[in-house]
Amino acid sequence: MQHGPAVRRRKLGAELRALRTSAGLTSGEAARLVGWHQSKVSRIETGTSGVKPADVRLLLDAYGVADSQLRELLMMLAGSDESGGRHHWWHAYRGVLPPTYRDFISLESQAGAMRTLETSVVPGLLQTPEYARAVTRAAVEGLPEDRLDTLVEVRLARQDVLRADPPLKLSAVLDEAVLRREVGGPGVMARQLERLVEAARLPQVRLQVLPFNAGAHIGVTGPFVIFSFSSTSDLDVVVLDHLTSSLYLERKEDLQAYTEAFNALQIHALSPEDSLDFIAGTAAGA
């Protein structure tokens, strides 16, 4: 269990090692190709030291990696400010957002799919501006109005991943408590439920409701997110949110456990069609 940057270094190193092996090179041969000492290649591959995006580019060129999507993803893991010529918009908020949040956004922006269990609030990617403001204000007491405006702005900007080409594929299981908890007052909640109905009809969004009558379930321990990357499953990661930080789980055993947990939650939850009716019915009674 590690903080985001450490996980990303290790994942990047493991992927670079796999690419070197596929290219039929030893670490010493790779080092000679790029003009380094062999120990630098070893440190990068074990994740014990950071690596500059320019160094990653050198290694990828040496290994003959032409897959633009994979190159873009690995450059992102190295902290590149550019990805396929697109500026990472969240860097403009570097002075406002904590590193763990920026790390989360960077993974979200590059992932091909996101699976999430939410037990208390609507997922950030599906929140209305009013709901996002109410949740943020409640989560951080005494927040100045201008800082609150900025955090809501970031939350809404994140939602662009659902409109990207290709869009992020979002699968969300919502505990019924998410729909019942009145955030921001009746009007705000009514509009938020309507937004969920709209989102549930999008082809890239799969929403399921886990009703109270489903009883105790594996998700009672808390919400989680699983990011999956289309280029390679070796970069998949689980994110657990805590009050003051986020933790990232990268081991295959952890990924398998949370994947199985999410699959079990989907089985016990209402179908997407029944969930849509459930949300609409809740909205009508709100």
Side-chain angles (χ1 to χ4, degrees), residues 17-206:
R17 182 171 61 249
L19 291 171
R20 172 180 58 76
T21 301
S22 296
L25 298 170
T26 66
S27 58
E29 290 169 340
R32 284 193 293 274
L33 281 175
V34 295
W36 300 344
H37 192 279
Q38 187 269 341
S39 61
K40 179 174 180 177
V41 174
S42 296
R43 289 195 303 271
I44 290 173
E45 291 185 350
T46 57
T48 55
S49 68
V51 54
K52 297 177 181 178
D55 289 343
V56 172
R57 187 180 296 110
L58 278 176
L59 290 174
L60 294 178
D61 289 344
Y63 302 158
V65 178
D67 184 333
S68 60
Q69 190 175 22
L70 179 57
R71 290 178 68 98
E72 180 177 328
L73 179 56
L74 296 180
M75 293 293 289
M76 180 274 295
L77 289 176
S80 174
D81 283 350
E82 296 183 1
S83 179
R86 292 179 286 110
H87 180 65
H88 286 174
W89 60 266
W90 58 90
H91 287 191
Y93 300 92
R94 185 178 293 272
V96 178
L97 305 179
T100 52
Y101 191 20
R102 295 201 307 268
D103 215 49
F104 183 91
I105 295 173
S106 69
L107 290 172
E108 184 179 71
S109 71
Q110 296 293 332
M114 174 180 174
R115 288 164 286 177
T116 180
L117 165 69
E118 290 292 349
T119 58
S120 299
V121 298
V122 171
L125 295 182
L126 303 178
Q127 292 178 6
T128 64
E130 299 84 2
Y131 186 97
R133 178 174 292 275
V135 165
T136 305
R137 180 179 282 120
V140 189
E141 292 186 1
L143 198 63
E145 202 66 21
D146 59 340
R147 179 78 179 274
L148 177 61
D149 290 342
T150 299
L151 291 177
V152 172
E153 183 178 310
V154 169
R155 181 70 56 90
L156 299 179
R158 285 174 47 203
Q159 298 177 4
D160 284 346
V161 294
L162 294 176
R163 297 182 287 270
D165 184 20
L168 174 75
K169 294 180 180 179
L170 173 65
S171 296
V173 174
L174 311 182
D175 191 278
E176 185 177 342
V178 172
L179 309 180
R180 301 294 182 188
R181 177 169 287 103
E182 190 175 282
V183 174
V188 170
M189 199 62 203
R191 286 189 290 274
Q192 178 60 71
L193 291 175
E194 291 173 1
R195 169 75 179 104
L196 283 178
V197 170
E198 295 171 0
R201 295 193 175 109
L202 295 173
Q204 66 270 36
V205 176
R206 178 187 174 94

Side-chain angles (χ1 to χ4, degrees), residues 1-11 47 100 103 107 237-240 242 245-251 254:
M1 192 179 295
Q2 298 283 339
H3 291 289
V7 169
R8 299 204 316 183
R9 282 200 307 272
R10 293 229 298 264
K11 285 186 172 294
T100 52
D103 215 49
L107 290 172
V237 64
V238 176
V239 185
L240 306 178
H242 294 263
S245 65
S246 296
L247 293 175
Y248 294 69
L249 288 78
E250 58 171 328
R251 296 186 310 162
D254 295 324

Side-chain angles (χ1 to χ4, degrees), residues 209-227:
V209 175
L210 195 62
F212 288 147
N213 61 20
H217 53 79
I218 198 168
V220 295
T221 55
F224 60 86
V225 172
I226 305 173
F227 284 122

